[in-house]
Amino acid sequence: MGKITLDMLAKSPSHTKKRRDETVQQYVRRLTHLYFSEKNIDEIDNLHHCRNLSVLYLYDNNIAKIKNLGFATSLTHLYLQKNEITKIEGLDNLRRLTKLYLGSNSITVVEGLEKLESLRELHIEKQNLPPGEKLLFEPRSLEALSKSLCVLNISENNIDSVEELKCLKNMTQFFTENNCLSDMKELSRVFASWPSLWRLELTGNPICNKKKYKDRVIVMSRSLVMLDGKEINETAKRFLMNWKASRDARRKQRKQLHFLEGGASNLISDSSNAFSSLPSLPPIQGLPNAEGEYMINPGVNPLLYEGVVASGSQSLALPRGTKPFAAIMQARAPNSTLLNRKPAEDVSQSRFPNIFAPPRPIISESNWDTDSDVHSGPPVPLQT
């Protein structure tokens, strides 16, 4: 028994009962549910008579290819798990399909779903994959399902990343047991894109062996109600959420403090570099005295005078052709006192008085004891 016959359709268990006055064709045309599980069927055929078909059970058979379903525009549920299907195809006309079961086949790529804009559940777990390969997802199919798909079962398919599933914004139930997921940060990013997720099955992944795995997963999704087959305690969930909020606040405060400290240290470092880059002047010496020794003069560089710097018994000369400053000043301003290095005996007679001399004492008068003495009496006229 490899094909579906008209006689099989008439004898198939159904919620619709055959009337006495109608033919087999008329009865088959009114069928909405067909149960053909475990019938050794290897080909989908002769179903075009069932124009009102909405639910079709074909699991546990030997079907290798999905075909001859273009007529079933009213089909909403299709059960094809545990067959020999290798490719998803022949579903373009099933615009009303909401649930598709393809588990335990030999499918390697999730594709051919671009037209199924109403699909809400996709079950494609436990595929018989070649050794070392994993189940792949076609971007066009994922994009087509991004607004409708709510339930996805991809368990036992050697999957090590779910980053590409972020586009499924309306996900409510996600089954990914016995895969190879190990990246907690990636999982957090995906859950951030699924605000309606309430059920998650992760058992059997390497990520489950990490410290406080369940606590970390619970704080990733505020909408999560069930994790690994167990309901999440509301009190524990609230405690974890408060702890996460407190931790994030402390982390943010530390980052701000680190930023401020880093900015201040960079400012100091930049200032130090700026000052260190200033050029340094040669050692300051005075003019030679009668014995030929240079006297210390903190005010003028000897390069401005004779073009030499004396340091003990050694002297450094300016390059040949360079005139000393004293010669230039003598030629241009012979009467300038800048080159007059003789100390002035009388500070008052000097053109440049010593500003570091102690101040002269203030003469105190007897009538300055109080403010009343100062302001009493008529003003004293100035003497000329």
Side-chain angles (χ1 to χ4, degrees), residues 156-183:
E156 300 187 34
N157 284 314
N158 299 329
I159 294 175
D160 57 2
S161 174
V162 292
E163 186 82 27
E164 55 191 335
L165 303 180
K166 289 171 58 177
C167 62
L168 305 176
K169 304 294 185 180
N170 295 319
M171 189 69 63
T172 58
Q173 300 182 59
F174 185 49
F175 302 84
T176 180
E177 300 171 283
N178 299 317
N179 277 309
C180 305
L181 301 178
S182 60
D183 192 343

mmCIF file of all heavy atoms in Angstrom, residues 156-183:
data_model
loop_
_atom_site.group_PDB
_atom_site.id
_atom_site.type_symbol
_atom_site.label_atom_id
_atom_site.label_comp_id
_atom_site.label_asym_id
_atom_site.label_seq_id
_atom_site.Cartn_x
_atom_site.Cartn_y
_atom_site.Cartn_z
ATOM 1 N N GLU A 156 17.745 18.815 18.950
ATOM 2 C CA GLU A 156 18.567 17.709 18.444
ATOM 3 C C GLU A 156 18.925 17.859 16.966
ATOM 4 O O GLU A 156 18.682 16.978 16.149
ATOM 5 C CB GLU A 156 17.855 16.370 18.679
ATOM 6 C CG GLU A 156 17.572 16.079 20.142
ATOM 7 C CD GLU A 156 17.023 14.683 20.364
ATOM 8 O OE1 GLU A 156 17.416 13.767 19.624
ATOM 9 O OE2 GLU A 156 16.192 14.522 21.271
ATOM 10 N N ASN A 157 19.510 19.029 16.648
ATOM 11 C CA ASN A 157 19.929 19.292 15.269
ATOM 12 C C ASN A 157 21.355 19.835 15.190
ATOM 13 O O ASN A 157 21.720 20.466 14.190
ATOM 14 C CB ASN A 157 18.964 20.272 14.593
ATOM 15 C CG ASN A 157 17.654 19.621 14.197
ATOM 16 O OD1 ASN A 157 17.641 18.534 13.617
ATOM 17 N ND2 ASN A 157 16.544 20.264 14.526
ATOM 18 N N ASN A 158 22.157 19.602 16.226
ATOM 19 C CA ASN A 158 23.563 20.034 16.261
ATOM 20 C C ASN A 158 23.725 21.537 16.095
ATOM 21 O O ASN A 158 24.751 22.008 15.583
ATOM 22 C CB ASN A 158 24.383 19.312 15.172
ATOM 23 C CG ASN A 158 24.409 17.817 15.349
ATOM 24 O OD1 ASN A 158 24.355 17.309 16.473
ATOM 25 N ND2 ASN A 158 24.478 17.088 14.241
ATOM 26 N N ILE A 159 22.770 22.296 16.506
ATOM 27 C CA ILE A 159 22.807 23.750 16.339
ATOM 28 C C ILE A 159 23.681 24.365 17.430
ATOM 29 O O ILE A 159 23.486 24.096 18.619
ATOM 30 C CB ILE A 159 21.384 24.333 16.382
ATOM 31 C CG1 ILE A 159 20.596 23.838 15.167
ATOM 32 C CG2 ILE A 159 21.415 25.855 16.414
ATOM 33 C CD1 ILE A 159 19.147 24.255 15.157
ATOM 34 N N ASP A 160 24.630 25.214 17.027
ATOM 35 C CA ASP A 160 25.537 25.858 17.974
ATOM 36 C C ASP A 160 25.352 27.364 18.057
ATOM 37 O O ASP A 160 26.040 28.039 18.825
ATOM 38 C CB ASP A 160 26.993 25.545 17.610
ATOM 39 C CG ASP A 160 27.325 25.960 16.186
ATOM 40 O OD1 ASP A 160 26.441 26.526 15.499
ATOM 41 O OD2 ASP A 160 28.468 25.710 15.745
ATOM 42 N N SER A 161 24.431 27.908 17.264
ATOM 43 C CA SER A 161 24.175 29.354 17.297
ATOM 44 C C SER A 161 22.737 29.625 16.876
ATOM 45 O O SER A 161 22.223 29.002 15.945
ATOM 46 C CB SER A 161 25.142 30.092 16.364
ATOM 47 O OG SER A 161 24.818 31.469 16.290
ATOM 48 N N VAL A 162 22.105 30.574 17.575
ATOM 49 C CA VAL A 162 20.727 30.967 17.253
ATOM 50 C C VAL A 162 20.644 32.460 16.966
ATOM 51 O O VAL A 162 19.565 33.050 17.006
ATOM 52 C CB VAL A 162 19.765 30.577 18.393
ATOM 53 C CG1 VAL A 162 19.643 29.072 18.506
ATOM 54 C CG2 VAL A 162 20.227 31.175 19.723
ATOM 55 N N GLU A 163 21.792 33.077 16.670
ATOM 56 C CA GLU A 163 21.832 34.520 16.432
ATOM 57 C C GLU A 163 20.923 34.923 15.272
ATOM 58 O O GLU A 163 20.285 35.977 15.312
ATOM 59 C CB GLU A 163 23.277 34.933 16.134
ATOM 60 C CG GLU A 163 23.481 36.438 16.021
ATOM 61 C CD GLU A 163 23.641 37.118 17.358
ATOM 62 O OE1 GLU A 163 24.089 36.453 18.294
ATOM 63 O OE2 GLU A 163 23.301 38.312 17.449
ATOM 64 N N GLU A 164 20.850 34.096 14.243
ATOM 65 C CA GLU A 164 20.053 34.437 13.061
ATOM 66 C C GLU A 164 18.555 34.381 13.314
ATOM 67 O O GLU A 164 17.758 34.829 12.486
ATOM 68 C CB GLU A 164 20.412 33.505 11.908
ATOM 69 C CG GLU A 164 20.266 32.033 12.247
ATOM 70 C CD GLU A 164 20.884 31.137 11.191
ATOM 71 O OE1 GLU A 164 20.993 31.588 10.037
ATOM 72 O OE2 GLU A 164 21.261 30.000 11.518
ATOM 73 N N LEU A 165 18.138 33.848 14.454
ATOM 74 C CA LEU A 165 16.711 33.751 14.771
ATOM 75 C C LEU A 165 16.184 34.997 15.472
ATOM 76 O O LEU A 165 15.016 35.030 15.872
ATOM 77 C CB LEU A 165 16.456 32.518 15.645
ATOM 78 C CG LEU A 165 16.905 31.168 15.073
ATOM 79 C CD1 LEU A 165 16.576 30.045 16.052
ATOM 80 C CD2 LEU A 165 16.246 30.897 13.722
ATOM 81 N N LYS A 166 17.018 36.010 15.636
ATOM 82 C CA LYS A 166 16.579 37.235 16.315
ATOM 83 C C LYS A 166 15.425 37.913 15.595
ATOM 84 O O LYS A 166 14.635 38.627 16.208
ATOM 85 C CB LYS A 166 17.751 38.212 16.418
ATOM 86 C CG LYS A 166 18.824 37.790 17.396
ATOM 87 C CD LYS A 166 20.056 38.681 17.293
ATOM 88 C CE LYS A 166 19.714 40.133 17.540
ATOM 89 N NZ LYS A 166 20.934 40.981 17.514
ATOM 90 N N CYS A 167 15.307 37.691 14.294
ATOM 91 C CA CYS A 167 14.263 38.361 13.515
ATOM 92 C C CYS A 167 12.855 37.860 13.837
ATOM 93 O O CYS A 167 11.868 38.489 13.461
ATOM 94 C CB CYS A 167 14.541 38.207 12.023
ATOM 95 S SG CYS A 167 14.530 36.496 11.442
ATOM 96 N N LEU A 168 12.739 36.726 14.526
ATOM 97 C CA LEU A 168 11.421 36.169 14.869
ATOM 98 C C LEU A 168 10.879 36.897 16.087
ATOM 99 O O LEU A 168 10.906 36.398 17.216
ATOM 100 C CB LEU A 168 11.547 34.663 15.120
ATOM 101 C CG LEU A 168 12.187 33.857 13.979
ATOM 102 C CD1 LEU A 168 12.337 32.403 14.379
ATOM 103 C CD2 LEU A 168 11.349 33.978 12.701
ATOM 104 N N LYS A 169 10.360 38.085 15.890
ATOM 105 C CA LYS A 169 10.001 38.997 16.969
ATOM 106 C C LYS A 169 8.842 38.511 17.835
ATOM 107 O O LYS A 169 8.722 38.919 18.991
ATOM 108 C CB LYS A 169 9.652 40.376 16.386
ATOM 109 C CG LYS A 169 10.730 40.994 15.525
ATOM 110 C CD LYS A 169 11.962 41.336 16.319
ATOM 111 C CE LYS A 169 12.990 42.081 15.457
ATOM 112 N NZ LYS A 169 14.207 42.439 16.219
ATOM 113 N N ASN A 170 7.994 37.645 17.309
ATOM 114 C CA ASN A 170 6.788 37.224 18.046
ATOM 115 C C ASN A 170 6.933 35.854 18.707
ATOM 116 O O ASN A 170 5.940 35.220 19.031
ATOM 117 C CB ASN A 170 5.583 37.206 17.097
ATOM 118 C CG ASN A 170 5.222 38.589 16.589
ATOM 119 O OD1 ASN A 170 5.243 39.562 17.330
ATOM 120 N ND2 ASN A 170 4.898 38.691 15.312
ATOM 121 N N MET A 171 8.148 35.430 18.934
ATOM 122 C CA MET A 171 8.375 34.114 19.515
ATOM 123 C C MET A 171 7.832 34.031 20.940
ATOM 124 O O MET A 171 8.091 34.899 21.773
ATOM 125 C CB MET A 171 9.867 33.798 19.512
ATOM 126 C CG MET A 171 10.203 32.365 19.892
ATOM 127 S SD MET A 171 9.672 31.194 18.638
ATOM 128 C CE MET A 171 10.679 31.718 17.272
ATOM 129 N N THR A 172 7.046 32.961 21.206
ATOM 130 C CA THR A 172 6.491 32.730 22.541
ATOM 131 C C THR A 172 6.999 31.426 23.157
ATOM 132 O O THR A 172 7.135 31.336 24.383
ATOM 133 C CB THR A 172 4.955 32.689 22.493
ATOM 134 O OG1 THR A 172 4.531 31.650 21.590
ATOM 135 C CG2 THR A 172 4.397 34.030 22.023
ATOM 136 N N GLN A 173 7.286 30.409 22.323
ATOM 137 C CA GLN A 173 7.796 29.138 22.815
ATOM 138 C C GLN A 173 8.968 28.699 21.936
ATOM 139 O O GLN A 173 8.841 28.652 20.705
ATOM 140 C CB GLN A 173 6.702 28.064 22.794
ATOM 141 C CG GLN A 173 5.487 28.401 23.644
ATOM 142 C CD GLN A 173 4.454 27.286 23.627
ATOM 143 O OE1 GLN A 173 4.735 26.155 24.008
ATOM 144 N NE2 GLN A 173 3.243 27.612 23.191
ATOM 145 N N PHE A 174 10.063 28.356 22.593
ATOM 146 C CA PHE A 174 11.282 27.997 21.878
ATOM 147 C C PHE A 174 11.842 26.702 22.458
ATOM 148 O O PHE A 174 12.170 26.624 23.642
ATOM 149 C CB PHE A 174 12.306 29.124 21.988
ATOM 150 C CG PHE A 174 13.554 28.902 21.189
ATOM 151 C CD1 PHE A 174 13.482 28.523 19.851
ATOM 152 C CD2 PHE A 174 14.808 29.082 21.748
ATOM 153 C CE1 PHE A 174 14.628 28.319 19.097
ATOM 154 C CE2 PHE A 174 15.962 28.884 21.013
ATOM 155 C CZ PHE A 174 15.869 28.499 19.679
ATOM 156 N N PHE A 175 11.963 25.674 21.596
ATOM 157 C CA PHE A 175 12.469 24.366 21.997
ATOM 158 C C PHE A 175 13.794 24.119 21.277
ATOM 159 O O PHE A 175 13.823 24.007 20.045
ATOM 160 C CB PHE A 175 11.468 23.264 21.625
ATOM 161 C CG PHE A 175 10.101 23.443 22.235
ATOM 162 C CD1 PHE A 175 9.148 24.263 21.630
ATOM 163 C CD2 PHE A 175 9.754 22.798 23.408
ATOM 164 C CE1 PHE A 175 7.891 24.424 22.176
ATOM 165 C CE2 PHE A 175 8.493 22.943 23.971
ATOM 166 C CZ PHE A 175 7.556 23.764 23.352
ATOM 167 N N THR A 176 14.863 24.030 22.022
ATOM 168 C CA THR A 176 16.187 23.801 21.438
ATOM 169 C C THR A 176 16.999 22.867 22.321
ATOM 170 O O THR A 176 18.174 23.104 22.615
ATOM 171 C CB THR A 176 16.914 25.138 21.229
ATOM 172 O OG1 THR A 176 18.200 24.890 20.663
ATOM 173 C CG2 THR A 176 17.035 25.926 22.509
ATOM 174 N N GLU A 177 16.408 21.777 22.712
ATOM 175 C CA GLU A 177 17.052 20.806 23.586
ATOM 176 C C GLU A 177 18.102 19.988 22.832
ATOM 177 O O GLU A 177 17.990 19.765 21.619
ATOM 178 C CB GLU A 177 16.006 19.866 24.192
ATOM 179 C CG GLU A 177 14.953 20.587 25.037
ATOM 180 C CD GLU A 177 13.816 19.662 25.434
ATOM 181 O OE1 GLU A 177 12.961 19.380 24.581
ATOM 182 O OE2 GLU A 177 13.793 19.219 26.605
ATOM 183 N N ASN A 178 19.100 19.525 23.581
ATOM 184 C CA ASN A 178 20.134 18.620 23.055
ATOM 185 C C ASN A 178 20.805 19.161 21.798
ATOM 186 O O ASN A 178 20.971 18.446 20.803
ATOM 187 C CB ASN A 178 19.534 17.234 22.784
ATOM 188 C CG ASN A 178 18.978 16.586 24.039
ATOM 189 O OD1 ASN A 178 19.598 16.636 25.098
ATOM 190 N ND2 ASN A 178 17.802 15.993 23.922
ATOM 191 N N ASN A 179 21.174 20.434 21.856
ATOM 192 C CA ASN A 179 21.959 21.035 20.784
ATOM 193 C C ASN A 179 23.341 21.377 21.316
ATOM 194 O O ASN A 179 23.792 20.786 22.311
ATOM 195 C CB ASN A 179 21.235 22.258 20.225
ATOM 196 C CG ASN A 179 20.171 21.890 19.195
ATOM 197 O OD1 ASN A 179 20.441 21.147 18.250
ATOM 198 N ND2 ASN A 179 18.944 22.383 19.384
ATOM 199 N N CYS A 180 24.022 22.327 20.683
ATOM 200 C CA CYS A 180 25.403 22.671 21.059
ATOM 201 C C CYS A 180 25.536 24.137 21.468
ATOM 202 O O CYS A 180 26.589 24.756 21.245
ATOM 203 C CB CYS A 180 26.344 22.369 19.891
ATOM 204 S SG CYS A 180 26.252 20.661 19.291
ATOM 205 N N LEU A 181 24.517 24.710 22.075
ATOM 206 C CA LEU A 181 24.553 26.115 22.469
ATOM 207 C C LEU A 181 25.423 26.282 23.712
ATOM 208 O O LEU A 181 25.235 25.585 24.709
ATOM 209 C CB LEU A 181 23.139 26.628 22.755
ATOM 210 C CG LEU A 181 22.148 26.531 21.589
ATOM 211 C CD1 LEU A 181 20.779 27.028 22.013
ATOM 212 C CD2 LEU A 181 22.649 27.318 20.391
ATOM 213 N N SER A 182 26.356 27.253 23.648
ATOM 214 C CA SER A 182 27.275 27.479 24.770
ATOM 215 C C SER A 182 27.524 28.950 25.070
ATOM 216 O O SER A 182 28.165 29.258 26.075
ATOM 217 C CB SER A 182 28.619 26.797 24.482
ATOM 218 O OG SER A 182 29.203 27.321 23.293
ATOM 219 N N ASP A 183 27.037 29.843 24.231
ATOM 220 C CA ASP A 183 27.316 31.275 24.387
ATOM 221 C C ASP A 183 26.171 31.956 25.131
ATOM 222 O O ASP A 183 25.084 32.156 24.570
ATOM 223 C CB ASP A 183 27.529 31.931 23.021
ATOM 224 C CG ASP A 183 28.107 33.327 23.126
ATOM 225 O OD1 ASP A 183 28.050 33.915 24.222
ATOM 226 O OD2 ASP A 183 28.620 33.835 22.111
#
